[in-house]
Amino acid sequence: MKKSSAVIIGVGPEQGLGAALAKFFAGKGLHVFIAGRSEGKLQAVAEKIRQTGGTATPVVTDATVGQEVAQLFNLTQREGFSVDIAVYNVDSNIPSPLLETDVQTFTTLWQQNCLGAFLFGKEAINVMQPQQAGTLFFTGATASLRARPPFTAFAAAKAGLRALAQGMAREFSPQGIHVVHTIIDGVIDGDRAREQFPDYVKTKGNGGLLQLEAIAQTYWAIHQQPLSAWTHELDLRPFKEPF
């Protein structure tokens, strides 16, 4: 019998969603394959997981390069693991008013937020099909549903990600593969927000930010849903967040 694992791409700082998911899944007994472009950050997260008794394999991977994504999933199979959970957590955003958005910026955002999701999702499905089981998460954003300047290009990519997730859910749910699109509708309390816009974080006050552990708990709960009552799309926001 194969050992259980989770594959998470888009793992960056220790106080980030990718790392939080990896730590949580490792705490539930899954071996975690953590992927991203920064070897240093991956090694730091892997070490934290090992210190708490979990197991992790860091794999430097560019989500937009098909060969690298394929190698990531090939590694899980060579090492004898089933892939119980796969998470596409890449979230690249560049604020740019439309008339100032060049083709390269638009293309880069689409590649990182949508094309990479296609490459990752396809490889995950190929591994999960023989198992007839597995949960595939795509992490979305407020922009998945609403395009607002100066983030129109980002929203176009996130809307594409949402459409990809819908199509995959309809195609592969009957095969036992649970495809989930999560809309993160708020600011995550992590290193990224606190470093890039600390003043805004302060204005959110107590309880105004999404907590990493809370998001990870929700992902796990969705993964555990019985076959007769699956959630495809859900939105997560702090209780104080207007919507």
Side-chain angles (χ1 to χ4, degrees):
M1 185 175 179
K2 288 188 174 183
K3 299 167 286 184
S4 298
S5 76
V7 180
I8 306 151
I9 195 165
V11 177
E14 289 183 46
Q15 292 301 311
L17 181 54
L21 293 171
K23 294 172 187 175
F24 195 93
F25 296 157
K28 294 296 183 180
L30 278 68
H31 181 85
V32 291
F33 291 87
I34 54 175
R37 293 183 297 179
S38 172
E39 182 175 6
K41 290 179 180 178
L42 293 175
Q43 292 290 355
V45 173
E47 182 58 29
K48 285 289 185 182
I49 290 169
R50 294 175 188 133
Q51 288 175 1
T52 57
T55 59
T57 301
V59 187
V60 177
T61 308
D62 186 330
T64 68
V65 179
Q67 183 178 4
E68 293 188 18
V69 177
Q71 289 173 348
L72 170 64
F73 281 93
N74 288 341
L75 179 62
T76 69
Q77 301 307 285
R78 288 200 307 271
E79 297 198 359
F81 287 94
S82 64
V83 176
D84 296 58
I85 303 173
V87 183
Y88 190 81
N89 189 60
V90 177
D91 183 32
S92 176
N93 194 356
I94 303 171
S96 180
L98 186 68
L99 296 182
E100 298 174 17
T101 303
D102 57 26
V103 172
Q104 183 57 54
T105 298
F106 190 94
T107 302
T108 297
L109 287 169
W110 172 77
Q111 288 174 327
Q112 294 175 345
N113 291 288
C114 190
L115 174 64
F118 163 74
L119 298 172
F120 183 87
K122 189 175 181 180
E123 295 298 334
I125 293 292
N126 279 332
V127 171
M128 290 176 176
Q129 269 188 324
Q131 305 170 178
Q132 294 186 306
T135 306
L136 172 58
F137 288 98
F138 294 102
T139 301
T142 306
S144 303
L145 302 178
R146 299 189 294 276
R148 292 178 178 173
F151 305 107
T152 302
F154 173 68
K158 282 297 188 183
L161 169 65
R162 183 180 185 233
L164 173 71
Q166 283 184 1
M168 294 182 73
R170 293 187 172 105
E171 185 170 358
F172 299 107
S173 287
Q175 300 177 34
I177 300 169
H178 190 180
V179 181
V180 185
H181 180 243
T182 60
I183 300 167
I184 306 299
D185 187 21
V187 177
I188 294 175
D189 188 6
D191 288 346
R192 185 173 171 185
R194 291 187 175 276
E195 291 172 5
Q196 295 182 3
F197 33 93
D199 292 338
Y200 178 77
V201 167
K202 290 179 183 177
T203 67
K204 303 304 288 184
N206 186 34
L209 301 175
L210 284 147
Q211 298 302 309
L212 292 166
E213 178 83 3
I215 300 173
Q217 288 176 359
T218 300
Y219 275 55
W220 182 254
I222 295 295
H223 169 62
Q224 291 186 303
Q225 286 180 328
L227 290 167
S228 64
W230 271 1
T231 295
H232 164 61
E233 184 170 77
L234 69 156
D235 49 2
L236 298 173
R237 67 180 65 86
F239 74 102
K240 296 167 62 175
E241 184 76 18
F243 66 99

